[in-house]
Amino acid sequence: MKKVLLGIVGLGAVLTGCGTDLALVDPVKNLNVTGYSTNYQLTTDVRDQNGGTIAAGSDVICDNLSTRVAVDVSWTGGLQQLAIQFKGARTGAAKTVVTDDYGPVDYRGAGSYEYTLMPNMAPQSAKSGLGAQAIVVNPITNVNVKGYTYVRVQGYDVAGNASAISESVTQIPVVDCL
């Protein structure tokens, strides 16, 4: 028993000698998607394939155009990196985007992270370095609704430990902008 204890103490001394302080790792917890916005919004109500209504003013992803998506998140702990995933509501197809390391660990507890989806990159449900910048909204009138996607996020602390995955409560409509 004494040898095991000495081994553990010795391992701690080695890690400390290498500059690793395990006490400084503050895991990312309580990660949540608190909102999202895109650079395209509907100017009128639109019907989807299932007969549902997407209200005027709703943010949408234009699948046939480049679309900037800002994802608002909150968390506790030290966030070093964030992975954002867009997941089709019915298909389950996913596109994962990993942000660059922030440099210093982010303890702010909230932020907005932006990504540009290129044409035909948004996973959807078909029936048959990021930093926050102001998104300029483009009003759109005529669209063809293709499906919906969820936003999912996962945070990583300085040691690379992953948080639980958090998913947006609402889906983002994916449309072709005509």
Side-chain angles (χ1 to χ4, degrees):
M1 182 68 163
K2 286 183 181 181
K3 286 184 181 182
V4 172
L5 257 170
L6 287 174
I8 293 171
V9 171
L11 178 61
V14 169
L15 289 175
T16 302
C18 293
T20 302
D21 187 351
L22 298 177
L24 293 180
V25 175
D26 188 8
V28 180
K29 296 174 269 187
N30 305 315
L31 183 66
N32 287 300
V33 176
T34 57
Y36 59 80
S37 60
T38 72
N39 61 321
Y40 295 104
Q41 285 183 349
L42 296 175
T43 57
T44 60
D45 289 355
V46 174
R47 286 256 193 241
D48 67 13
Q49 301 94 328
N50 301 319
T53 300
I54 304 170
S58 295
D59 288 288
V60 296
I61 294 172
C62 286
D63 197 39
N64 59 327
L65 303 171
S66 294
T67 302
R68 290 173 61 184
V69 181
V71 179
D72 302 324
V73 296
S74 65
W75 69 89
T76 57
L79 183 65
Q80 180 69 33
Q81 190 176 54
L82 185 72
I84 301 171
Q85 183 180 72
F86 299 93
K87 182 177 179 185
R90 285 183 40 149
T91 65
K95 168 68 178 167
T96 302
V97 180
V98 179
T99 64
D100 294 329
D101 286 342
Y102 296 137
V105 178
D106 192 339
Y107 289 98
R108 293 176 300 155
S112 184
Y113 303 91
E114 192 173 293
Y115 183 72
T116 299
L117 288 171
M118 301 309 289
N120 302 309
M121 282 182 60
Q124 60 210 328
S125 64
K127 185 174 183 180
S128 314
L130 286 173
Q133 299 176 7
I135 289 184
V136 177
V137 175
N138 300 303
I140 53 173
T141 305
N142 199 8
V143 300
N144 174 30
V145 180
K146 296 177 76 174
Y148 297 87
T149 191
Y150 285 99
V151 177
R152 296 166 42 120
V153 294
Q154 187 169 33
Y156 297 87
D157 65 21
V158 70
N161 300 311
S163 72
I165 295 172
S166 175
E167 184 172 271
S168 60
V169 175
T170 58
Q171 306 166 18
I172 304 174
V174 178
V175 303
D176 273 337
C177 298
L178 309 173

